[in-house]
Every structure is written in C-alpha cells, then in structure tokens.
Amino acid sequence: MSGHARAALELDDIQRGVLSPRPTPYAATYLVFRVDDRAHGRELMRRASAVVTSAADPDSPLGETWVSVAVTRHGMEALGVPHASLKTFAWEFRQGMTARARALGDVAESSPEHWEAPLGTADVHVVLTAVAPDAPQLEAALDRARPAYERLPGVTAIWRQDCYALATEKEHFGYRDGVSHPAVAGSGIAGSNQLEKPLKAGEFVLGYRDEIGGIQTPQPEVLGRNGGYAVFRKLHQHVAAFRRYLRDNATGPEDEELLAAKIMGRWRSGAPLALSPDQDDPALGADAQRRNTFLYERDDPAGFITPGGCHIRRANPRDASVAGEVRLHRMIRRGAVYGAPLPEGVLEDDGVDRGLMFSFIGAHLGRQFEFVQSEWMNDGVFFGAGSAKDPVTGSHDGASGFTIPRRPLRRRLPPLPRFVVTRGGEYCFLPGLRALRWLGDLRD
C-alpha cells in the first residue's frame, strides 16, 4: 500500500479503456501476443505507451476510438519484472484464470483442457484491445497500433478475436446488453443508476482509497498506481438450446417472453421487470436515464416482480441485505458479441461459434469478479435458494431448475442445461501510461 495516496484521479495516467463506456454501436478486436525476446517485449511496452489513449482524453481527434494494453502474470515474467514486485500483485492474478477454473465454475465442457488454444496457457503475455464506432475506424486504429508490435521478431501475435456491439445493443440471446455500469468518483462519468452513489475510485483503480478505506498499490508505485485488473473471457452461447428451453416451457408466445424476462430480470428491450412488471416497454428499455434506476428491497423483497435468482439480481443485488456488502462486489463490465447471429426463429444449432467477449475491470479480483462468479452466479445460498445457479450463465449440470416466486403457487421450471460455455480467458493487469514506460525501461 502507498502511504501517501493522492485523492484526485490522475486521469492522464489511466488507460481510457479502464473507465470509459464504449460507444454504441462499436467494433472491437482482441489481439494476444507472446513475448519471446525480453528486449523486444520491453520495446513493445514503450511503443504502446504512445498508442494508448488516456482517460483524460475522451474528446481526442480519434473520437470514440482507443487502444488498451494489458499484461498477464506470465507476461510480467517475460518482461523481466522482478519477483519481489510480482509478489505485491493480487494472488489471484499471480495464479491466473486456469488455476482458478474450478472456483469459477469452469468445469466439464468449460474446463481449461477444452479452451481455445492458446487461451489459458503460459503463452498469453500481452492483450491489446482496440475499440471504435465501426469496422473501418477499427482497422484505422489497428493500423495506428501496428507500429507498436511490427518489426519486433521477438513478439508474436498468436490469437485474434473480432467482436462487435449492434446499434440495438442486443446479444445473441436477444437481450439488450450493457445496461448497468457504476459511477466512479472523480472520473466525471455518470453511472446508469441514479439511486446508486458513486463508488470510491479505489474499487477500480489501484493506488486510491476503496469503499473500506484501504489502498491497494502493487510495487513499485510507478508500476502499480493508476492501473487496474482486467478479466477477459470468451463465452460461447448455445442460442438454439436457450430458445428451445423457453419454447418448451412456455404456454405461448407471450408466456415465452415473460419467462425470458423472469430469467434475465429484464425484458428483451432492456426494460426492467422492476419498472415494467407486466409487459415489455421498449421506450423504457431504450431510455438510458431511466432503465437502470431502481432498487429491489423496498418494493420487491420476496422477488414476486424480479426473481431473486434471475441474472441481473444475482449479478448486482443493489440494496439487498445479502452476504457481504453489495458495494464491495461491484465491477465495471464490458461485453461484445462475436460470431454471426442465429437467424430468428431457428431452434436447431447451425454449428457457428457465437457468443460474448467479456471484460470485467476492478481493483479486487477476489472480492469482485471471483466472489460474484462463485457465490452469486454459481450458488444460491445468499438469497435462500440453496445450490441453485444463475439461469443464464451458471455452470449447470442438468440437476437444478429455476423457480419463479408467484402467488398462490410458485412456478418451478425443469432442470437447466448449460447455455454459456467458457472458451478461454485470463487475468490481466492494465498498467497506467507511466507504468507502460517503466516496463519499457526495465533493465536486467
């Protein structure tokens, strides 16, 4: 920890990808690199520091286009970061996602031995993410970034994933995505829930006070401060299976949409059940100022409107009195779609790889991403539902169903198959711009 934390966020040293919402629509690319030559890897960091946009520059000439650079634990070792420094990073980061697979529910079809190569291996060193409003501007951003890694034979691009977000903001299951995001004190970026106070910067950016007054800063301070941890995951979606489950358990089209809403906690348009309990309200779903401004406990403690086990209530219980203070488990979440959509109405899988590229950003891997994934997504004890898992993203094995609170009798759905399968991922560190230069200037 730093003994002399400065309160104001140093936006000019924080990568824009840490705090800034992505544009709508947008195109994005993830590029993974392996560093075989330490000197070339360090040169990549030096060059990257000139390509990465800071959070202080949201109105740059490039508009809503930016590049972020993250480094894994294996990448830190490949760059020659001293062991004494590595020991000051979060232990989950040092272990890596593969080692944490069982705790995350990445078992069976989702276990690392089935991941897409080279994800989950020691070859994943540097992850470059480029974001732009459309594909031509994305290619232009990649062209600007290319000099950072070209003509460096000791740095090899080993994996690429192109992804996108539609103007409708819909993902492959048909729901509007990216609705909820927290406000970060000092960032100047508003949150999506007007009833949620901004969270302390130290929940997301290292080197600042967090919600419990602590300050996490990996050492040396020039390396740790203004950085953050990023979790990235490639998640395959079994879209046809999801559609069949809804169709098979509904009494008709209207009931099918109600079931879809009860499972997610929102109608497909993004309108929440909490504000529109009886029918979809597309105008509300499209209204970024209203669609996420609600709480649960005052109006719906028993979950008769928004089931306690639905996806959005598990991911963020808001004002609920649950195990652990909810604000300690908030994350910045980014999602992008990959693969062509399954045509409307099709109920059989066509063999196309489609899903979501997720990234979660925070300063506490353990009590943020890992806690939510293991305790809220893959368990139900926190709201009295035993071992029940999240109906959308839970690691289902066909043993448990989904219960919808209802008077006079609750509605119980049959066992759920696994709709989302992990195809790979990693824990990364998003260095500040000064830290990128520090990594570039390392000497043996």
Side-chain angles (χ1 to χ4, degrees), residues 314 322-323 375-376 378-388:
R314 281 174 173 270
V322 297
E375 302 300 322
W376 289 354
N378 284 317
D379 205 347
V381 170
F382 77 98
F383 70 101
S387 60

Side-chain angles (χ1 to χ4, degrees), residues 44-97:
L44 173 64
M45 294 297 103
R46 272 195 295 275
R47 295 179 183 181
S49 70
V51 172
V52 169
T53 309
S54 82
D57 197 20
D59 299 317
S60 74
L62 303 179
E64 294 181 310
T65 301
W66 66 85
V67 171
S68 299
V69 174
V71 186
T72 68
R73 187 264 294 180
H74 290 297
M76 300 279 241
E77 291 174 341
L79 293 170
V81 174
H83 183 65
S85 177
L86 274 175
K87 287 200 303 184
T88 65
F89 282 79
W91 70 274
E92 298 90 353
F93 169 76
R94 301 198 310 270
Q95 285 201 315
M97 190 180 289

Side-chain angles (χ1 to χ4, degrees), residues 369-413:
F369 175 72
E370 289 209 351
F371 180 93
V372 171
Q373 189 71 13
S374 62
E375 302 300 322
W376 289 354
M377 295 289 115
N378 284 317
D379 205 347
V381 170
F382 77 98
F383 70 101
S387 60
K389 296 173 171 50
D390 182 278
V392 181
T393 64
S395 55
H396 292 284
D397 54 9
S400 61
F402 181 66
T403 300
I404 300 173
R406 190 177 61 171
R407 293 186 176 98
L409 295 173
R410 60 189 174 182
R411 184 176 184 178
R412 304 184 80 161
L413 301 181

Side-chain angles (χ1 to χ4, degrees), residues 17-342:
V18 173
L19 297 173
S20 293
R22 292 176 175 179
T24 302
Y26 71 84
T29 290
Y30 286 79
L31 283 172
V32 167
F33 298 90
R34 185 185 68 239
V35 175
D36 298 312
D37 180 279
R38 185 165 288 178
H40 288 182
R42 291 168 176 173
E43 178 61 22
L44 173 64
M45 294 297 103
R46 272 195 295 275
R47 295 179 183 181
S49 70
V51 172
V52 169
T53 309
S54 82
D57 197 20
D59 299 317
S60 74
L62 303 179
E64 294 181 310
T65 301
W66 66 85
V67 171
S68 299
V69 174
V71 186
T72 68
R73 187 264 294 180
H74 290 297
M76 300 279 241
E77 291 174 341
L79 293 170
V81 174
H83 183 65
S85 177
L86 274 175
K87 287 200 303 184
T88 65
F89 282 79
W91 70 274
E92 298 90 353
F93 169 76
R94 301 198 310 270
Q95 285 201 315
M97 190 180 289
T98 301
R100 303 296 299 150
R102 184 158 293 277
L104 297 174
D106 290 332
V107 297
E109 190 183 355
S110 287
S111 62
E113 63 261 31
H114 301 305
W115 287 3
E116 186 177 314
L119 303 180
T121 72
D123 286 344
V124 177
H125 293 165
V126 177
V127 181
L128 182 150
T129 308
V131 175
D134 54 41
Q137 291 182 74
L138 177 66
E139 285 306 314
L142 290 170
D143 286 343
R144 284 190 293 273
R146 200 161 282 120
Y149 57 86
E150 280 188 336
R151 296 183 297 280
L152 290 174
V155 175
T156 305
I158 59 174
W159 186 79
R160 174 172 176 162
Q161 180 65 62
D162 294 324
C163 42
Y164 59 93
L166 298 169
T168 60
E169 301 177 272
K170 296 286 185 77
E171 49 72 58
H172 288 304
F173 289 152
Y175 299 95
R176 186 185 294 271
D177 197 21
V179 170
S180 178
H181 55 90
V184 183
S187 71
I189 299 169
S192 59
N193 184 351
Q194 317 298 316
L195 303 176
E196 180 182 59
K197 293 189 305 181
L199 283 95
K200 297 287 180 59
E203 290 296 310
F204 310 101
V205 186
L206 295 161
Y208 300 86
R209 293 204 182 277
D210 59 25
E211 288 288 311
I212 57 176
I215 304 168
Q216 307 298 318
T217 315
Q219 296 300 305
E221 187 172 3
V222 66
L223 173 61
R225 184 173 175 82
N226 293 319
Y229 294 112
V231 179
F232 88 85
R233 285 164 76 78
K234 181 175 182 178
L235 303 175
H236 174 78
Q237 293 175 270
H238 289 307
V239 179
F242 185 76
R243 290 178 181 176
R244 286 197 305 272
Y245 185 86
L246 292 175
R247 181 73 52 87
D248 291 347
N249 291 286
T251 59
E254 286 188 11
D255 188 50
E256 188 175 329
E257 286 307 301
L258 178 62
L259 276 185
K262 290 290 186 179
I263 283 172
M264 177 61 67
R266 291 183 183 276
W267 300 92
R268 311 262 199 177
S269 73
L273 286 168
L275 299 179
S276 185
D278 300 318
Q279 61 186 24
D280 198 357
D281 183 346
L284 172 61
D287 189 337
Q289 298 300 312
R290 294 194 299 135
R291 67 190 181 199
N292 199 47
T293 299
F294 60 89
L295 301 172
Y296 295 121
E297 286 299 285
R298 184 187 64 190
D299 300 320
D300 187 29
F304 286 115
I305 299 171
T306 309
C310 74
H311 178 70
I312 70 166
R313 194 158 178 170
R314 281 174 173 270
N316 177 19
R318 301 184 185 230
D319 57 330
S321 300
V322 297
E325 167 59 47
V326 170
R327 288 172 68 83
L328 301 184
H329 310 300
R330 296 287 276 130
M331 295 171 286
I332 293 173
R333 172 191 165 281
R334 314 268 188 244
V337 172
Y338 74 85
L342 185 67

